[in-house]
Structure formats: C-alpha cells, structure tokens
Amino acid sequence: MVSIVELREMKTGDIEESLEDARDEMFNLRFQRASGQLEDVTRITHLRREIARMETVLNDRRRAMAAAAREPAIAAALEGVSWTASAYFDYELSAWVVEFADPDQKRVATAHVNLNKKQILPREKRKLGQAAPRLVIHTEIAG
C-alpha cells in the first residue's frame, strides 16, 4: 500500500500508470468475489482506498495548476507562450509548488498554491459580490 506522502513524491505519469494497474486489479478482485474464488475480501477495501488516494493526488495537482494559471501575474507571463506545468507538494511550505516552463524547459513562472483555504463563501458575501479567497500565496516570474 502506498502512502499519500509517497504518492505526492511520484511523477504524474507513474501515478496514472499505478492507477490503471489498480483499477485492473480491482476488476479482477470483483470478478473473483462474484465467482467465490476470493480468499482475502479486505483487499478490495484496501485497493479502493489506494485508488482514492491516487485520484486525490492527481486532482490536487490539476487544481493547483489551474489556480496558478488563473493568477493574473502568471496569466500575463504565459500569454502568447506555449508552456507546460508541473506540480509537487512542499511539506515545509504546506503548499503545492507549480512550475511553468516553455518548450525549451526554460522556467517562465513559479507559484505556491495552498489548496486548504476555505472555498465556499457564506451566502451574504456571495450576494455582495466578494471574491473567493486566493489560493496562490506566492508567485515568481522569471526574467
């Protein structure tokens, strides 16, 4: 079983590959359970939780990249440039670090994104038109 810390350190492609393998194993386990051949039924529960952890890490990476790309300073730096983004979790900052690079792998911008901020505003503040809290806590534009 892979811990959340180990998953956050893995590359996105590796997580997606592990997720596909886990889903295949889940299919096989369900088939074995239906046919009465499964001896360890708790494996299904453990595998389901492992799949959920992998999906959570992938979703957090996507959310961090999207929040960083929406930041006005970074959006301006990325305007008209083809770019790729990568994200990793920094435990000292307790935030996702999103790095944007151009096709030559030259860094364009970096952002620290805290996804733990409360997203839902009370009804009164939504009516007043107040914006949701900013998730990006730090930005750095190269060059």
Side-chain angles (χ1 to χ4, degrees), residues 1-3 6 42-43 45-50 53:
M1 183 175 284
V2 182
S3 71
E6 293 169 348
T42 60
R43 178 68 183 135
T45 303
H46 294 294
L47 191 59
R48 189 176 68 235
R49 289 180 183 163
E50 192 171 325
R53 274 190 212 102

Side-chain angles (χ1 to χ4, degrees), residues 10 33-34 46 52 61 78-79 82 93 96 105 120 123 126 136:
M10 291 173 67
R33 182 179 64 184
H46 294 294
R61 283 186 185 176
L78 297 176
E79 186 72 30
S82 66
L93 298 172
W96 287 92
Q105 298 304 316
I120 301 172
R123 185 174 295 158
R126 282 190 304 233
V136 178

